[in-house]
Amino acid sequence: MERERFSSRIGFILISAGCAIGLGNVWRFPYITGKYGGAAFVLIYLFFLIVMGLPIMVMEFSVGRASQKSIALSFNVLEKKGTKWHLYRYVGIAGNYLLMMFYTTIGGWMLVYFFKMLKGDFVGLDAEGVSQTFTNLTTDLPTMLIWMLIIVALGFLVCSMGLQSGVERINKSMMVVLFLLMVVLAVNSSLLPGASEGLKFYLLPDFGKLTDYPISEVIFAAMGQAFFTLSCGIGALAIFGSYIGKERKLTGEAINILILDTCVALIAGLIIFPACSAYGIDPGEGPGLVFVTLPNVFNHMTGGRIWGSMFFLFMTFAALTTIIAVFQNIISCATDLWGWSLKKATIINGIAIAVLSLPCIFGFTIWSDFTILGKNILDFEDFLVSNNILPLGSLVYLLFCVTKCGWGWDNFIKEANTGKGISFPKKLKVYFKFILPIIILYIFFQGYWSLFQTL
């Protein structure tokens, strides 16, 4: 059966960017930037995004395009006889499921807050009241369950329409609306009285601010954010590589996606930092920034109910673009492995994801006292994906593309540089083969070192 194709190059770029663009850009990036010094930290982050994230993205796209398969079979097609690279598929597929086991719940929170803002539920509440609203949501099992199921149903409904009619068409529309919402919100925040200090903090590097924390901690935070924002290592990008032709070299396409992903993160900062400055809020307050701090900001803002609704609509779209992309990968794995029809793969995986998402919700309610390594269920699931599967999966793709026992450097370069556009830098082979693997392993072990220090 002939493999599906995107209807346009822009469709591939927007959907691949949509996979990378998620809550890491618009939730995690602003508060980490706020914590570690603003503009100076952003420069370090951008450096690691280019030297780490970009090459691994090209490698994952290359494996997908060369094999024309999802992660379920891509290594089988390309690996040398007798090697066992294909065994990683079980870890990669598990990573997709694990990511969705908590991402769907957070996506549900975003959608709930959009409707709450739209209805005016926050109007008249003080800071304690806004904080209590989030507490009430995360302890309300039926409400979280309903909104999680809505997110799962929406995601699989889009995927059930097919690649072009569903995933490409809907994601392209959401990405366009997402960018428009962000630009409008960023302009509004930047024009608030008192916003100038926030803009200065965010846009003018002050390297003295980096000394507030140990430099090794700052560098690790920048490396980690640059690495995890792209969702490399679980085949979620490789699947879209399998849907494109050979007309363009993959480095140029990856650069375009990287630029879009970075623009979203940077514009998110332009929304949050001026607003926090205008209302005297610390932007480095952590994950609660979105659900507790920002609703307070919108409460004090002229037209805040409208701006708040737009903000949580864009946050919902950011979550959904990633969810749809990962759902598409999961469905493709099922059709590649077992030959299931699109309908069968959608229904079975829809039920599976809904059931597998329950522990995350239970972790806030009936299992709230249960912890693993000192973490609640959501944080532990996130730890398994972010600190384990993503870095180790990226290492697998990297070594597969640069070592003789894998696919091999020559095969990778031939695939990556087929077509028009920017070529992958062959002269940096030593860096990709020996230095980049050490950097990835550093991120992996530093994550565990940080964990053990907190236990």
Side-chain angles (χ1 to χ4, degrees), residues 74-374:
S74 57
F75 290 105
N76 299 64
V77 173
L78 302 177
E79 68 184 359
K80 291 181 173 62
K81 190 174 181 180
T83 59
K84 303 294 183 183
W85 294 91
H86 64 275
L87 294 177
Y88 174 70
R89 71 185 182 193
Y90 300 108
V91 180
I93 293 170
N96 284 270
Y97 282 101
L98 266 170
L99 181 62
M100 292 298 100
M101 283 165 64
F102 64 90
Y103 218 93
T104 50
T105 296
I106 300 173
W109 292 350
M110 298 298 178
L111 196 53
V112 168
Y113 264 59
F114 164 65
F115 285 110
K116 281 184 177 293
M117 274 289 175
L118 204 60
K119 292 189 299 176
D121 287 358
F122 294 101
V123 175
L125 294 181
D126 58 12
E128 188 178 334
V130 172
S131 179
Q132 188 60 45
T133 299
F134 184 59
T135 301
N136 292 343
L137 171 63
T138 56
T139 54
D140 186 341
L141 193 156
T143 298
M144 283 199 292
L145 177 62
I146 289 168
W147 289 101
M148 176 273 287
L149 291 174
I150 289 171
I151 290 290
V152 171
L154 284 173
F156 277 107
L157 178 64
V158 170
C159 293
S160 71
M161 299 175 188
L163 181 68
Q164 289 187 18
S165 301
V167 176
E168 183 176 356
R169 182 170 60 90
I170 302 298
N171 259 23
K172 276 164 63 174
S173 301
M174 281 200 295
M175 287 292 290
V176 170
V177 175
L178 185 148
F179 274 105
L180 289 174
L181 286 171
M182 291 194 79
V183 170
V184 171
L185 285 163
V187 170
N188 177 67
S189 287
S190 299
L191 295 177
L192 290 171
S196 57
E197 281 302 310
L199 288 170
K200 182 180 176 182
F201 172 80
Y202 186 50
L203 299 176
L204 296 178
D206 179 358
F207 289 95
K209 292 184 181 295
L210 296 176
T211 60
D212 293 344
Y213 291 89
I215 192 64
S216 60
E217 182 180 336
V218 175
I219 290 174
F220 172 68
M223 290 170 68
Q225 180 62 24
F227 190 75
F228 302 132
T229 186
L230 300 175
S231 299
C232 293
I234 56 173
L237 294 175
I239 187 62
F240 298 123
S242 76
Y243 293 138
I244 58 171
K246 308 269 188 179
E247 297 82 14
R248 306 288 304 186
K249 294 178 180 178
L250 292 171
T251 303
E253 305 298 80
I255 289 172
N256 289 328
I257 293 160
L258 200 69
I259 290 171
L260 284 177
D261 177 77
T262 305
C263 282
V264 168
L266 294 178
I267 297 172
L270 288 175
I271 296 169
I272 289 169
F273 289 108
C276 287
S277 172
Y279 294 100
I281 300 294
D282 177 10
E285 287 190 0
L289 181 71
V290 167
F291 294 110
V292 179
T293 308
L294 287 179
N296 274 309
V297 170
F298 293 127
N299 259 356
H300 291 90
M301 192 183 293
T302 302
R305 184 171 162 185
I306 296 171
W307 297 115
S309 299
M310 289 174 64
F311 176 80
F312 283 105
L313 179 62
F314 120 70
M315 291 291 282
T316 302
F317 281 176
L320 275 172
T321 52
T322 299
I323 287 168
I324 290 169
V326 177
F327 281 0
Q328 178 66 22
N329 192 28
I330 288 171
I331 288 172
S332 185
C333 286
T335 56
D336 282 351
L337 269 180
W338 301 302
W340 289 354
S341 66
L342 173 61
K343 182 178 179 180
K344 182 177 180 180
T346 300
I347 293 171
I348 292 177
N349 280 295
I351 294 170
I353 293 291
V355 172
L356 290 170
S357 298
L358 293 176
C360 176
I361 292 174
F362 292 162
F364 288 96
T365 53
I366 57 176
W367 295 348
S368 58
D369 294 330
F370 179 71
T371 60
I372 309 172
L373 298 178

Side-chain angles (χ1 to χ4, degrees), residues 280 379 393 420 439 452:
D379 289 339
K420 300 177 183 178
I439 294 174
F452 289 136

Side-chain angles (χ1 to χ4, degrees), residues 405-422:
C405 65
W407 188 27
W409 175 258
D410 292 339
N411 288 326
F412 158 65
I413 286 294
K414 181 181 178 182
E415 182 62 43
N417 290 345
T418 296
K420 300 177 183 178
I422 301 171

